Amino acid sequence: MIHSLFMINSAGDIFMEKHWKSVISRSVCDYFFEEQQKANSPEDVNPVISTPHHYLIHIYRENIYFVAVCTTEVPPLFVIEFLHRVVDTFTDYFGDGGESAIKDNYVIVYELLEEMLDNGFPLATESNILKELIKPPNILRTVVNTVTGSSNLADTLPTGQLSNVPWRRAGVKYTNNEAYFDVIEEIDAIIDKQGSTVFADIQGVIDCCVKLSGMPDLTLSFMNPRILDDVSFHPCVRFKRWEAERVLSFVPPDGNFRLISYHVGSQNMVAIPVYVKPNISFREGGGRFDVTVGPKQTMGKMVESVVITCAMPKVVLNMNLTPTQGTYTFDPVAKVLTWDVGKINPQKLPNLRGNISLQSGSPPPESNPAISVQFKIQQMAVSGLKVNRLDMYGEVSKSSPKKSFTFEKYKPFKGVKYLTKAGNFQVRT
Amino acid sequence: MTDSKYFTTTKKGEIFELKNELNSDKKEKKKEAVKKVIASMTVGKDVSALFPDVVNCMQTDNLELKKLVYLYLMNYAKSQPDMAIMAVNTFVKDCEDTNPLIRALAVRTMGCIRVDKITEYLCEPLRKCLKDEDPYVRKTAAVCVAKLHDINAQLVEDQGFLDQLRELLSDSNPMVVANAVAALSEISDTSPSPAAQMEMNQQTINKLLAALNECTEWGQIFILDALSNYVPKDDREAQSICERVTPRLAHSNAGVVLSAVKVLMKGMEYVGMESEFVTTLQKKLAPPLVTLLSSEPEVQYVALRNINLIVQKRPDILKHEMKVFFVKYNDPIYVKLEKLDIMIRLATQENIAQVLAELKEYATEVDVDFVRKSVRAIGRCAIKVEQAAERCVSTLLDLIQTKVNYVVQEAIVVIKDIFRKYPNKYESIISTLCENLESLDEPDARASMIWIVGEYAERIDNADELLESFLEGFHDESTQVQLQLLTAIVKLFLKKPTETQELVQQVLSLATQDSDNPDLRDRGYIYWRLLSTDPAAAKEVVLAEKPLISSETDRLEPTLLDELICYIASLASVYHKPPSAFVEGQALVVRKTQLPVRSASGEPGATGATESPVPQQAQPVQQQQSVIPSHDTAMGDLLGDLLSMDLNPPQQQMSMTPAPQQDMGGMDLLGGGLDSLLGGPSPVAGMPASQASMGGGLGDILGLGISSTTYVPPKQVWLPAPKAKGLEVSGTFSIRQNVRYMDLTLKNNAMAPMGDFAIQFNKNSFGLSPASALQVPSPLSPGQTADVTLPLGTNGPVQKMDPLMNLQVAMKNNIDVFYFSCLIPIHLLFTEDGQMDRKVFLATWKDIPDSNEVQKEIANPNQLDPKGISDKLQQSFIFTIAQRNVDGRDMLYQSLKLTNGIWVLAELKIQPRSPTMTLSLKTRALDVIPQVQQAYELIIANM
């Protein structure tokens, strides 16, 4: 199981350590540093490192390496998933999981880590349970705390840990009941020089914001559930109902959560909403850069927030370009060109062109850089997935003194939003 | 207000100040002080000096303060054990609190205080908590058992906590079950004792499957891992487990998904191969595996390493998913390299065009390692998919045209392999290759190019010029290049003898006279002698047909692959090594599961009811299986012997006329070793039954068949297949007709036929050595088993081994040389002339000092009478000299002699109708006594 955790920042300082069993000397991190030296970039450090007595498994997020130390044979994915959950929790608590946030909230971080693992076994990782145990910091509470001398730590039992639905706490009450669903789809694609699709698939999620009193029981059905053949569910979804009727039936957690994530495979045709016409050439001492973006299969929707980034070869000194719309920047240290295009107007296609200057004396690069594209399209799910209806059952006002034990239909606000955006969308040039 | 303030101290005497604050009367100030202490602790400052002051703060109703003090305690209790005891009372009290949260917190923290002195105080509270009415407390207590086991395993076993833990497996609350499973599997991982092992039966499996649906994601991982260790009774059970596990594939936690994949992959092995069930299950496995590849890069990496195993075992699962393995330019390098590997494994005739286009794209990327591997991948595709070879070659040519140095070099290395796989097909491109001769600066590439020039010398007009140009800097080249150059020029000479005589003389003298490298010198001499004595033979040797190279070079050995499939989702699957190869403390446990059933007498004294007066030398039975590590220094001699085996050239028809030159001393290297190994037909192998009469006298008296006269222990696996690239060797020793044999069973578990078997023994305590060559029906085809007997002599070199009866063996086949060791049963070494004269016996008995007498109770399970025993023992050459009866007890006086002349005298006291008897042994060489005692027990118990 997980023995210890070290957090290492980009400067190579171990700024936090936590041991769930006996203390392991920080010198064990030397093996990690050794491996880190071999890597060309911070992301390239192999996540599973073996040393004579320990196994180091780490993730790299927010410019921090979270290095877990194990002494026995453990499932590495368990460790990796857990570490990601730790960072997610930090982000949830402090707004971001970066080094300064961790340092600013040292005691909470330590308390959180203590609650999340016991002797290397996961204890409480659900955000609602943790929040019951350890209150997240906010300005009001810190002020109150300093005045009254109370603390972030709750004195109550984490009731959720004992219930059959550990993801939901009991006794939730809202004056305005609401349930919102966001269907968000990301297109991962590789497009080749000629503009044809080498590979494309869709990663979709349904994120929910459910604020309902009591113990609601929801049913979500789709117009075309056949699209969803590769899905991962939040533990609250009843798998049997899905198998039998293709509807999502669940008692939702309170607040924001991810209901399902799904994957529409490369066997299906994926509509590519934008095209990029790149024309990049290098010669001795310089080169030409000319890129045009345009909409392709957008079903009449507007393509927004288009950003084009291109990691130029190391020998590029500077770029002198003119955009027809939006702004561009070239970072001469990281050699990254970023062009913030904005909306695409089909009548007047955005274009960026100009000259590239290379370091004098060095030969022109062998290959052209790949371009990665970001965009957003509102009110469209590119897979065609559509929510049919949402039904809610369950009691609302059990605790109301006047009509105790009466059951009442929810009358909440509900809504579904669709969004398509680029995931890992690459164009080879 | 943030916590960073705790890290800034401006004044000196920090500890002193904290001490004051901790002892403050104000609650608030106390808490702030404890917070400061914790903060210092987390950054590694030593604040253990404050231990008593912090512990004083523990008695509080404030939960937060309590927790903070607990945190501190866990960290420093070890360094202040005496102080930590002060805290015990508070824990015991907290364990009986009305609030289950406090109870759980107390039991949780208790286990984290890793102080031996405290552990015994914890047993009672822990026992109570394991039976607590609140599931939250029970599940916390379950983990506490694992903690306690880590500190003091014996205590946990003695106190019966393991049984209590096993009871929790059928708890009504799924989280309790999950934690119990996790705790048990951790305990059984680290503890070799059988009491700690988790037994799985149908009932527990059902409980686990029921809990699986309702527990947390982490609990699901533990339960799935435990399920994968269960061997289903029949295919129906396997099928039902699979069905109930399948829904886990749709979980959002990647760990759950991969552990479920493991259970299913193992389950499919137990369901019939062709069944429809397997086909549908395989279809269900693909989507979740693909989904893992869209997670974080670290998850992708682990998934890819596992997919690499899965596609080797069941290529059908992902055969349509090639595209998801295409590399994105911003993938981390470790993901890129793994994807590349899998792309090649999935490459088939149908998708090869796509794959090649991708690989070509990758070859223009920035990362040098990745580009090299991509180029190599193109070569591997050519070798794997014959129809695509031409396409691959033209792709490689395109890449060579780019003139990027490392691309060209890598391309030439793989083109060499393509030439070997498809001879006489693509030689037209040689001229293009030759254009790039100057740019090659890596030994691999240079050696490959030289090989190509030499191999196709007859088609390259200026081959001699090309090779000559390399010759100029001969001494600066690496050995690899030098050897290749030597061979290439000899090839050239054999093909175009007229023009290149000068060149060949030059290279031979460079290699033999000016080089310090023995490999190079020896090869030079061999060529020289060959060329000077028999050019025709030289041609046959040097230009011999080359064996084909296999299409997939880096596949895992099937036995290893099967083993690794059982370890999917674990570290072993990431390293592609079985856990025994890298997990500490695991080796012992794993080996035990592999050991075959041993004869009951394997544990000396286990049957004896009374205590033995003599301290028994516990036999390290497991040693029998241990494979000698190749770096063992004691193996030097054996390795020396084997060197001659390795030199055994494939061309046996090679004429070996004595060297005409005087300076040919090196040639003798080949001589001696070969003779003993290639020795003619064995004179003893398969001795005809007609000769039985020779040793028949004994057989007749005893009224036994000729098959076996002495006790023969059952065969044991000496060399397990995974350690020997698929060769499994099991064996035993026997004596038939006064000849000692090693009876071997060789099993070929690999995919390719095996041949060219040979065997050698290391020096051993009794000078055992093979009396003839090993006769194995060759080739031994895959799956085939061969029984072989190897007659043994006792005149080999002697060296005392530890343990005494250890025999280290090297076995060679066409694949490799393997080492293993086994224990010789001592009765193998008893000689038939071990009957001492009565008078001599008496004299010797008196002569040997009493201090050399060792007494031991041995079992007589069949309660044989003296006659039966002495008959039995005589079959194994333990001779009864005299017999007398004292006070109703029979005394047998016996003698035996070992092959190296050691005499052992024995007195056996037999009490009628008693399951034990007393054996007194007297000998001058005390070392053999434990073995002789064991031999007595074995023989008496087994015949």
Side-chain angles (χ1 to χ4, degrees):
Chain A
M1 297 299 123
I2 301 174
H3 206 113
S4 302
L5 172 69
F6 294 96
M7 297 184 199
I8 302 173
N9 64 15
S10 44
D13 293 330
I14 304 172
F15 68 94
M16 162 109 201
E17 58 183 291
K18 165 79 186 143
H19 306 276
W20 283 278
K21 294 185 178 179
S22 52
V23 175
I24 291 178
S25 150
R26 342 178 122 196
S27 61
V28 74
C29 293
D30 292 349
Y31 293 101
F32 170 80
F33 292 129
E34 214 172 275
E35 198 74 16
Q36 191 191 13
Q37 297 223 309
K38 288 185 218 153
N40 293 327
S41 70
E43 295 86 15
D44 281 351
V45 188
N46 195 321
V48 184
I49 302 168
S50 86
T51 76
H53 301 284
H54 304 94
Y55 313 102
L56 306 181
I57 300 177
H58 75 88
I59 63 165
Y60 181 70
R61 267 179 73 173
E62 317 273 354
N63 294 319
I64 301 172
Y65 294 101
F66 295 84
V67 184
V69 184
C70 308
T71 47
T72 48
E73 162 81 275
V74 289
L77 274 190
F78 150 69
V79 181
I80 290 170
E81 280 278 343
F82 178 80
L83 291 176
H84 279 294
R85 196 64 56 85
V86 168
V87 186
D88 290 344
T89 312
F90 292 165
T91 323
D92 191 26
Y93 265 72
F94 317 130
D96 80 303
E99 186 181 348
S100 58
I102 293 176
K103 279 190 168 164
D104 284 351
N105 298 287
Y106 234 99
V107 174
I108 296 189
V109 165
Y110 220 69
E111 285 170 346
L112 280 174
L113 290 176
E114 186 58 37
E115 285 306 325
M116 291 178 85
L117 273 192
D118 175 18
N119 195 40
F121 297 105
L123 196 61
T125 52
E126 288 286 338
S127 121
N128 70 327
I129 295 177
L130 284 171
K131 282 188 176 158
E132 255 185 276
L133 285 168
I134 302 157
K135 296 260 165 49
N138 63 37
I139 292 173
L140 185 68
R141 191 169 304 117
T142 31
V143 172
V144 172
N145 283 355
T146 30
V147 175
T148 63
S150 60
S151 70
N152 286 331
L153 210 64
D155 287 338
T156 47
L157 245 177
T159 40
Q161 268 188 310
L162 310 177
S163 87
N164 271 342
V165 277
W167 54 86
R168 188 172 180 88
R169 65 197 163 95
V172 185
K173 263 196 98 178
Y174 289 102
T175 39
N176 282 331
N177 283 311
E178 49 191 21
Y180 297 115
F181 295 83
D182 292 347
V183 179
I184 302 168
E185 298 193 338
E186 293 191 356
I187 304 176
D188 287 348
I190 302 175
I191 312 287
D192 72 6
K193 235 173 275 187
Q194 287 74 37
S196 52
T197 311
V198 176
F199 156 81
D201 66 4
I202 300 168
Q203 307 294 339
V205 295
I206 299 182
D207 282 345
C208 314
C209 175
V210 179
K211 293 181 173 168
L212 297 170
S213 313
M215 270 289 171
D217 199 327
L218 310 188
T219 309
L220 187 70
S221 62
F222 299 97
M223 307 275 262
N224 39 11
R226 268 196 314 125
I227 292 173
L228 304 176
D229 67 337
D230 178 8
V231 279
S232 325
F233 296 117
H234 188 277
C236 67
V237 175
R238 298 189 178 96
F239 191 75
K240 287 261 159 59
R241 281 283 299 275
W242 169 256
E243 287 245 292
E245 305 165 44
R246 294 276 143 179
V247 294
L248 296 175
S249 156
F250 55 99
V251 175
D254 186 38
N256 295 308
F257 65 99
R258 176 157 296 172
L259 181 62
I260 70 169
S261 50
Y262 57 93
H263 171 250
V264 181
S266 43
Q267 269 94 333
N268 305 43
M269 278 299 289
V270 176
I272 303 293
V274 295
Y275 71 87
V276 177
K277 233 194 252 162
N279 199 349
I280 306 173
S281 59
F282 294 104
R283 61 190 147 67
E284 204 64 48
R288 287 287 300 164
F289 185 91
D290 184 341
V291 170
T292 309
V293 201
K296 214 170 161 186
Q297 297 156 286
T298 62
M299 300 175 217
K301 300 280 193 314
M302 178 76 85
V303 185
E304 300 169 3
S305 314
V306 180
V307 178
I308 302 242
T309 42
C310 181
M312 300 302 285
K314 293 275 173 277
V315 292
V316 173
L317 207 56
N318 210 343
M319 302 182 75
N320 192 1
L321 310 170
T322 330
T324 58
Q325 85 179 66
T327 52
Y328 86 96
T329 52
F330 178 73
D331 179 347
V333 181
K335 314 282 183 199
V336 175
L337 168 75
T338 315
W339 176 27
D340 191 343
V341 183
K343 288 180 187 168
I344 296 182
N345 179 358
Q347 268 75 50
K348 193 169 156 287
L349 294 179
N351 170 274
L352 177 71
R353 78 176 79 184
N355 292 317
I356 308 170
S357 48
L358 300 181
Q359 270 164 22
S360 53
S362 39
E366 311 287 344
S367 59
N368 285 342
I371 293 176
S372 87
V373 186
Q374 286 159 319
F375 56 83
K376 273 185 193 161
I377 304 169
Q378 304 282 354
Q379 291 313 315
M380 178 185 102
V382 71
S383 67
L385 186 73
K386 267 210 148 53
V387 172
N388 184 20
R389 56 178 294 144
L390 175 71
D391 297 307
M392 305 192 185
Y393 312 93
E395 67 269 44
V396 191
S397 49
K398 205 174 172 178
S399 53
S400 136
K402 272 185 188 167
K403 30 176 182 175
S404 54
F405 302 109
T406 52
F407 291 79
E408 194 180 296
K409 268 276 194 189
Y410 281 102
K411 291 192 191 72
F413 299 103
K414 47 184 183 179
V416 179
K417 254 190 348 192
Y418 299 92
L419 176 67
T420 297
K421 52 183 184 179
N424 206 333
F425 195 100
Q426 304 186 351
V427 181
R428 291 176 178 161
T429 59
Chain B
M1 187 185 85
T2 66
D3 292 341
S4 41
K5 66 177 165 157
Y6 298 122
F7 297 100
T8 50
T9 44
T10 45
K11 293 162 212 149
K12 288 172 189 170
E14 188 188 354
I15 299 274
F16 179 75
E17 210 164 278
L18 282 173
K19 205 178 180 91
N20 274 342
E21 284 177 41
L22 283 170
N23 291 321
S24 158
D25 294 334
K26 284 185 191 152
K27 256 191 173 176
E28 194 46 36
K29 210 160 192 187
K30 254 189 187 176
K31 197 160 71 185
E32 284 298 295
V34 175
K35 277 193 178 179
K36 277 184 203 164
V37 172
I38 302 273
S40 314
M41 184 179 87
T42 51
V43 287
K45 279 186 209 157
D46 184 18
V47 284
S48 58
L50 296 167
F51 199 89
D53 306 284
V54 178
V55 170
N56 273 340
C57 302
M58 193 166 153
Q59 299 249 12
T60 170
D61 299 332
N62 184 312
L63 195 58
E64 186 186 21
L65 190 53
K66 202 175 212 99
K67 278 194 164 179
L68 288 172
V69 176
Y70 279 180
L71 276 183
Y72 178 88
L73 263 179
M74 287 181 230
N75 235 354
Y76 285 121
K78 187 119 201 176
S79 57
Q80 312 264 346
D82 294 323
M83 290 291 197
I85 288 191
M86 296 189 338
V88 165
N89 244 334
T90 323
F91 280 125
V92 175
K93 221 165 70 195
D94 283 353
C95 277
E96 292 175 355
D97 199 281
T98 45
N99 184 342
L101 182 66
I102 305 253
R103 292 204 296 274
L105 186 63
V107 79
R108 172 142 77 93
T109 315
M110 264 169 17
C112 296
I113 299 179
R114 309 175 55 84
V115 178
D116 247 345
K117 281 186 193 162
I118 291 192
T119 46
E120 43 196 299
Y121 295 104
L122 305 182
C123 292
E124 260 337 287
L126 177 58
R127 203 187 314 281
K128 251 183 227 158
C129 287
L130 280 168
K131 291 192 175 134
D132 200 284
E133 51 176 16
D134 195 299
Y136 183 63
V137 181
R138 287 204 300 275
K139 93 176 192 169
T140 316
V143 174
C144 190
V145 176
K147 293 181 196 172
L148 206 56
H149 186 272
D150 195 31
I151 306 167
N152 190 341
Q154 199 54 45
L155 184 76
V156 169
E157 279 169 36
D158 293 346
Q159 295 276 336
F161 283 134
L162 290 179
D163 292 325
Q164 269 192 297
L165 208 49
R166 272 189 276 266
E167 274 167 39
L168 288 186
L169 285 181
S170 31
D171 197 278
S172 56
N173 186 300
M175 325 254 191
V176 179
V177 178
N179 273 15
V181 169
L184 271 175
S185 38
E186 188 175 71
I187 290 172
S188 64
D189 262 4
T190 50
S191 164
S193 107
Q197 301 308 313
M198 198 172 7
E199 291 157 48
M200 298 281 234
N201 53 35
Q202 227 158 347
Q203 245 176 341
T204 36
I205 290 295
N206 276 332
K207 293 258 166 57
L208 293 186
L209 283 169
L212 184 61
N213 290 325
E214 288 174 49
C215 66
T216 65
E217 46 201 310
W218 316 111
Q220 295 186 10
I221 297 180
F222 300 134
I223 292 182
L224 287 169
D225 281 344
L227 281 177
S228 72
N229 290 330
Y230 174 67
V231 178
K233 272 187 210 52
D234 48 37
D235 61 333
R236 283 229 339 258
E237 194 184 4
Q239 209 162 326
S240 93
I241 291 178
C242 286
E243 271 162 10
R244 294 178 69 175
V245 166
T246 312
R248 295 302 117 206
L249 291 176
H251 202 284
S252 56
N253 185 317
V256 176
V257 174
L258 204 56
S259 290
V261 169
K262 160 159 67 174
V263 177
L264 295 177
M265 284 295 286
K266 271 191 90 174
M268 281 196 278
E269 295 297 308
Y270 296 105
V271 183
M273 254 325 257
E274 311 299 325
S275 93
E276 194 157 318
F277 181 75
V278 171
T279 330
T280 46
L281 201 54
Q282 285 197 355
K283 273 196 196 122
K284 283 185 188 161
L285 276 174
L289 287 174
V290 171
T291 305
L292 290 180
L293 295 183
S294 49
S295 327
E296 294 85 1
E298 298 91 4
V299 175
Q300 287 187 40
Y301 172 71
V302 175
L304 285 166
R305 290 295 283 175
N306 280 286
I307 288 173
N308 200 329
L309 296 175
I310 293 169
V311 294
Q312 287 185 61
K313 180 77 189 164
R314 294 181 182 271
D316 284 351
I317 294 181
L318 287 167
K319 65 179 173 194
H320 299 302
E321 301 289 349
M322 171 62 92
K323 281 185 175 175
V324 299
F325 299 103
F326 285 179
V327 173
K328 305 199 173 80
Y329 80 89
N330 48 4
D331 282 335
I333 183 73
Y334 54 83
V335 169
K336 283 183 180 173
L337 296 177
E338 290 305 317
K339 279 187 172 175
L340 207 54
D341 237 13
I342 296 172
M343 279 172 69
I344 301 164
R345 294 209 193 283
L346 290 177
T348 58
Q349 203 180 334
E350 290 84 52
N351 58 24
I352 191 77
Q354 254 182 341
V355 174
L356 272 182
E358 279 295 306
L359 292 176
K360 200 174 164 187
E361 192 73 38
Y362 304 157
T364 62
E365 281 223 22
V366 195
D367 191 302
V368 177
D369 281 344
F370 181 57
V371 170
R372 283 173 176 276
K373 193 152 183 189
S374 307
V375 176
R376 225 171 303 150
I378 298 176
R380 275 168 67 188
C381 284
I383 290 166
K384 190 179 172 198
V385 185
E386 186 166 359
Q387 294 82 352
E390 194 159 344
R391 273 228 213 39
C392 296
V393 170
S394 73
T395 310
L396 286 170
L397 277 182
D398 286 351
L399 289 174
I400 288 176
Q401 303 297 354
T402 64
K403 304 275 178 196
V404 180
N405 194 291
Y406 52 84
V407 175
V408 173
Q409 311 216 31
E410 204 63 49
I412 286 184
V413 174
V414 295
I415 284 178
K416 180 202 73 179
D417 285 342
I418 296 177
F419 279 173
R420 283 211 46 193
K421 171 83 180 180
Y422 309 110
N424 305 319
K425 226 169 158 185
Y426 301 111
E427 284 71 22
S428 51
I429 66 170
I430 288 176
S431 58
T432 326
L433 300 183
C434 291
E435 286 164 22
N436 293 288
L437 218 54
E438 283 80 37
S439 64
L440 308 178
D441 54 8
E442 288 162 28
D444 257 354
R446 286 175 84 85
S448 303
M449 192 64 219
I450 292 169
W451 182 87
I452 292 172
V453 174
E455 189 66 18
Y456 298 101
E458 68 272 28
R459 308 184 190 207
I460 305 170
D461 295 333
N462 58 346
D464 47 343
E465 283 168 38
L466 293 176
L467 291 176
E468 201 170 356
S469 69
F470 281 104
L471 210 53
E472 279 158 22
F474 189 76
H475 289 296
D476 301 329
E477 301 281 3
S478 72
T479 314
Q480 185 191 8
V481 180
Q482 289 175 336
L483 286 170
Q484 210 52 261
L485 194 55
L486 174 62
T487 309
I489 291 179
V490 172
K491 280 182 191 164
L492 175 70
F493 171 73
L494 290 168
K495 287 172 180 172
K496 299 178 182 171
T498 45
E499 309 131 55
T500 56
Q501 208 151 12
E502 210 170 302
L503 193 62
V504 82
Q505 263 160 13
Q506 202 183 339
V507 77
L508 285 176
S509 78
L510 275 174
T512 52
Q513 283 158 23
D514 302 342
S515 170
D516 296 332
N517 185 324
D519 279 353
L520 186 66
R521 250 188 352 240
D522 290 348
R523 197 187 283 194
Y525 281 132
I526 292 171
Y527 283 146
W528 199 328
R529 177 128 60 114
L530 269 174
L531 292 175
S532 53
T533 52
D534 189 352
K539 221 168 192 162
E540 236 172 293
V541 172
V542 179
L543 303 179
E545 192 93 343
K546 272 160 284 296
L548 281 183
I549 55 176
S550 72
S551 58
E552 265 186 272
T553 39
D554 58 341
R555 275 186 83 93
L556 289 170
E557 195 57 43
T559 44
L560 177 63
L561 179 62
D562 282 347
E563 192 179 352
L564 287 177
I565 288 288
C566 304
Y567 292 112
I568 284 179
S570 72
L571 279 169
S573 68
V574 176
Y575 297 142
H576 288 186
K577 286 179 198 158
S580 50
F582 64 90
V583 178
E584 286 184 322
Q586 185 104 31
L588 204 71
V589 184
V590 169
R591 187 171 294 166
K592 191 153 64 200
T593 60
Q594 287 175 348
L595 267 184
V597 187
R598 292 197 303 270
S599 54
S601 51
E603 290 125 335
T607 43
T610 50
E611 255 187 54
S612 154
V614 186
Q616 291 171 7
Q617 228 183 4
Q619 271 297 324
V621 188
Q622 302 201 330
Q623 207 124 22
Q624 289 178 327
Q625 239 208 355
S626 68
V627 168
I628 302 164
S630 51
H631 53 78
D632 194 343
T633 45
M635 292 300 294
D637 298 346
L638 185 52
L639 283 176
D641 289 354
L642 281 163
L643 209 67
S644 47
M645 283 211 247
D646 286 336
L647 274 173
N648 175 4
Q651 290 84 16
Q652 288 174 23
Q653 72 272 30
M654 193 170 101
S655 58
M656 296 280 279
T657 46
Q661 281 104 329
Q662 267 72 45
D663 55 345
M664 279 283 164
M667 280 308 285
D668 282 347
L669 247 183
L670 280 176
L674 276 178
D675 292 348
S676 63
L677 277 165
L678 300 174
S682 152
V684 206
M687 189 188 273
S690 57
Q691 289 187 12
S693 55
M694 197 177 81
L698 207 61
D700 288 348
I701 296 168
L702 302 171
L704 272 175
I706 46 160
S707 58
S708 141
T709 51
T710 60
Y711 165 62
V712 181
K715 278 188 180 169
Q716 289 181 332
V717 177
W718 285 340
L719 182 66
K723 294 211 163 126
K725 304 194 176 159
L727 174 68
E728 186 183 274
V729 179
S730 45
T732 184
F733 294 93
S734 63
I735 304 183
R736 291 190 291 274
Q737 292 92 45
N738 293 339
V739 181
R740 295 172 177 82
Y741 293 97
M742 184 189 239
D743 295 331
L744 292 167
T745 302
L746 306 177
K747 184 159 188 242
N748 181 355
N749 285 340
M751 290 191 304
M754 294 177 178
D756 303 335
F757 284 93
I759 198 165
Q760 282 274 354
F761 291 178
N762 197 6
K763 287 179 188 167
N764 53 69
S765 312
F766 292 90
L768 275 187
S769 62
S772 77
L774 189 65
Q775 300 284 314
V776 182
S778 192
L780 191 62
S781 33
Q784 199 188 345
T785 308
D787 281 310
V788 189
T789 47
L790 180 72
L792 303 176
T794 52
N795 304 321
V798 177
Q799 182 187 15
K800 191 174 166 192
M801 299 298 291
D802 184 37
L804 190 71
M805 307 312 291
N806 201 16
L807 176 66
Q808 296 180 330
V809 183
M811 181 167 271
K812 178 201 157 241
N813 64 10
N814 56 342
I815 298 169
D816 206 340
V817 182
F818 311 107
Y819 305 97
F820 60 89
S821 68
C822 49
L823 291 179
I824 313 161
I826 200 164
H827 66 258
L828 185 76
L829 304 163
F830 298 169
T831 54
E832 70 275 21
D833 56 352
Q835 181 144 25
M836 229 181 218
D837 186 74
R838 275 180 91 135
K839 281 176 196 154
V840 181
F841 183 89
L842 269 173
T844 321
W845 185 269
K846 279 180 193 152
D847 199 32
I848 300 175
D850 280 344
S851 59
N852 273 19
E853 180 170 356
V854 178
Q855 217 170 42
K856 187 180 182 234
E857 293 281 340
I858 61 169
N860 183 8
N862 306 331
Q863 298 185 12
L864 292 171
D865 56 21
K867 169 85 171 75
I869 289 173
S870 86
D871 282 349
K872 255 193 176 187
L873 291 174
Q874 190 147 358
Q875 290 166 32
S876 294
F877 304 134
I878 302 175
F879 299 95
T880 305
I881 318 266
Q883 181 178 1
R884 61 189 178 129
N885 192 299
V886 184
D887 306 335
R889 288 188 298 183
D890 285 301
M891 313 283 270
L892 292 181
Y893 295 93
Q894 299 170 319
S895 71
L896 62 94
K897 186 185 163 195
L898 297 177
T899 49
N900 56 356
I902 294 178
W903 284 92
V904 180
L905 311 183
E907 180 197 61
L908 198 56
K909 271 186 215 148
I910 306 166
Q911 189 96 43
R913 288 173 302 285
S914 158
T916 59
M917 46 198 182
T918 312
L919 173 69
S920 311
L921 294 176
K922 251 190 170 183
T923 175
R924 289 183 202 280
L926 280 173
D927 290 354
V928 300
I929 285 195
Q931 274 78 29
V932 176
Q933 288 169 343
Q934 220 189 342
Y936 262 87
E937 291 188 316
L938 265 174
I939 295 165
I940 289 172
N942 280 292
M943 283 177 75

